[in-house]
Amino acid sequence: MTKKTLFLLLIFIIPGFYNAADAQQEPDSVWQKIQPYFSPPPEYAGQYGNYRSPLKFYDGREVKTPADWKKRRKEILRRWHDMMGHWPRLIKKPTFDILDSVRQEGYTRYHIEYVWRRGEKAKGYLLVPDEKGVKPAVVTVFYEPETAVGLKRPDRDFGVQLVKRGFVVLSTGIDAIVREKPYHQYYPDYHNAEIQPLSMLAYLAANAYNLVSRLPYVDPKRVGVTGHSYGGKWSMFASCLYEKYACGAWSDLGIVFDDTRPNVNYDDPWYLGYYPPPWSELDSTVADIGAENKGIYPKLRREGYDLHELHALMAPRPFLVSGGSEDQPERWAPLNHAIDLNRFLGYENRVAMTNRPTHAPNAESNEQLCLFFEHFLKYNGITKKK
């Protein structure tokens, strides 16, 4: 079967269009199971840490109205792009080829190659449920696309678990340090990047959204993004910086800067500490180099910026922190700022955190993550204003 024939089948065998009146009725059990995770434990309620309020402009003026917030939101977005580097133009209509397809129980797995930056392609997997009609979708990001589709490590197969619940899934990824050109997370190239790598990964995920949202069986208003660890950082930056993502679920990434945790390593040159190579992911001297070679990270720390400002860009879009060893309950302090912002805008139940002792996801945390997407995407919980 030719690629063209497979593409035509992919487009036309799943007819139908979405109508709000056709939305499935949410079982009471879905919300009941995840509702407790939208409130901090009593000992963390009202705790805000040393994080400056996103409801103040950088010059100290207070945000007093929703109109003020729109200006403040633009200020945050502009300031962070100014510091990290501005994106090239997005690819509004990404193209892709189908390399092969495999029938699985209840869905089809398509191996695809798609354009995610001008002149550069990435390989990924598109998982399409058998059910007809227009569906919600989730983009999964990780070092490589195989893990999320169940071809590698267990309990990180977010894509398989979501497609079995009726979601279209696009799984994509790239190594933290790619051994062969092109170095996708470095732009314009590995030796002279003008954009911090985490921001460039968010750009690539924005183009991944543009691809999946144009599929005729996907509702573009119901697309989320998720990832674990490296993919957690990637998915957080993607959903915060690209507001077309309806929601995000970030697994044990380190949601704020924390120099006491070696895995909350935003100062590394493949995150926010880019400097021209030579350097190596495995070279212990990376952590010991001078501050002048840590990209924008020293500036961010010195001038009081932190990632809770990016969380604020989500409001009122919901997000879940699937916390493990790097995101323990004390992270409610920065999350309380996002809760207050959503309340200021008239929304409740937009910020959630679950916790487990270990870094790796497990069956319980995966169930919670999937229920989050079911509530906000499959059952349109995202439209509920409290």
Side-chain angles (χ1 to χ4, degrees), residues 176-195:
I177 300 177
V178 182
R179 301 303 178 185
E180 297 179 358
K181 291 184 178 181
Y183 300 92
H184 290 294
Q185 69 267 51
Y186 307 104
Y187 181 84
D189 60 62
Y190 173 64
H191 295 282
N192 187 33
E194 298 173 356
I195 301 172

Side-chain angles (χ1 to χ4, degrees), residues 103-312:
R103 282 288 302 135
Q104 304 282 14
E105 184 178 356
Y107 68 97
T108 301
R109 185 181 74 217
Y110 297 91
H111 193 198
I112 68 169
E113 184 176 59
Y114 71 98
V115 177
W116 72 350
R117 197 163 67 195
R118 282 173 176 79
E120 297 178 6
K121 294 182 178 180
K123 292 181 180 178
Y125 294 90
L126 188 63
L127 310 183
V128 183
D130 289 346
E131 304 97 272
K132 297 183 183 298
V134 173
K135 307 166 185 65
V138 176
V139 174
T140 66
V141 293
F142 198 50
Y143 294 108
E144 30 64 31
E146 284 75 22
T147 293
V149 299
L151 299 178
K152 287 204 172 185
R153 303 173 71 175
D155 289 330
R156 303 185 188 194
D157 57 343
F158 298 149
V160 173
Q161 297 186 45
L162 287 164
V163 73
K164 289 182 177 180
R165 295 172 186 245
F167 291 85
V168 174
V169 175
L170 173 60
S171 176
T172 193
I174 186 169
D175 292 340
I177 300 177
V178 182
R179 301 303 178 185
E180 297 179 358
K181 291 184 178 181
Y183 300 92
H184 290 294
Q185 69 267 51
Y186 307 104
Y187 181 84
D189 60 62
Y190 173 64
H191 295 282
N192 187 33
E194 298 173 356
I195 301 172
Q196 287 296 315
L198 260 178
S199 183
M200 178 45 55
L201 288 173
Y203 166 85
L204 298 174
N207 286 330
Y209 166 91
N210 291 346
L211 186 155
V212 74
S213 67
R214 294 182 66 246
L215 297 172
Y217 44 85
V218 168
D219 180 354
K221 294 183 179 180
R222 295 189 293 155
V223 180
V225 60
T226 192
H228 171 66
S229 192
Y230 172 83
K233 291 179 171 67
W234 184 349
S235 60
M236 181 178 74
F237 271 66
S239 51
C240 292
L241 296 177
Y242 198 53
E243 61 182 322
K244 290 188 177 182
Y245 275 113
C247 60
W250 319 324
S251 176
D252 207 37
L253 58 154
I255 59 168
V256 287
F257 300 140
D258 186 346
D259 296 329
T260 70
R261 302 292 303 174
N263 290 327
V264 187
N265 50 336
Y266 288 97
D267 59 327
D268 280 342
W270 43 90
Y271 288 136
L272 293 174
Y274 174 83
Y275 61 93
W279 45 265
S280 168
E281 181 184 19
L282 303 179
D283 186 350
S284 62
T285 62
V286 167
D288 301 323
I289 62 174
E292 70 278 5
N293 288 328
K294 289 263 189 172
I296 67 167
Y297 187 77
K299 171 184 173 67
L300 294 171
R301 300 297 274 149
R302 184 174 61 249
E303 298 183 9
Y305 297 98
D306 215 314
L307 299 173
H308 73 299
E309 292 189 13
L310 297 189
H311 307 166

Side-chain angles (χ1 to χ4, degrees), residues 69 73 310-319 338 341-342 345 350:
W69 169 247
R73 188 185 188 282
L310 297 189
H311 307 166
L313 300 177
M314 291 294 295
R317 296 173 296 145
F319 66 89
L341 170 57
N342 277 280
L345 296 174
R350 288 294 181 269

Side-chain angles (χ1 to χ4, degrees), residues 302-379:
R302 184 174 61 249
E303 298 183 9
Y305 297 98
D306 215 314
L307 299 173
H308 73 299
E309 292 189 13
L310 297 189
H311 307 166
L313 300 177
M314 291 294 295
R317 296 173 296 145
F319 66 89
L320 165 72
V321 178
S322 180
S325 58
E326 308 311 308
D327 288 311
Q328 289 292 298
E330 59 266 24
R331 300 293 193 210
W332 278 108
L335 293 180
N336 283 332
H337 289 280
I339 291 174
D340 280 2
L341 170 57
N342 277 280
R343 285 176 178 162
F344 172 79
L345 296 174
Y347 291 83
E348 296 284 352
N349 299 322
R350 288 294 181 269
V351 180
M353 179 164 64
T354 61
N355 296 104
R356 59 184 181 272
T358 61
H359 178 57
N362 56 38
E364 182 181 17
S365 66
N366 288 342
E367 173 72 6
Q368 295 160 343
L369 183 146
C370 290
L371 289 173
F372 169 85
F373 282 123
E374 285 193 349
H375 175 67
F376 285 108
L377 297 181
K378 188 173 182 179
Y379 300 119

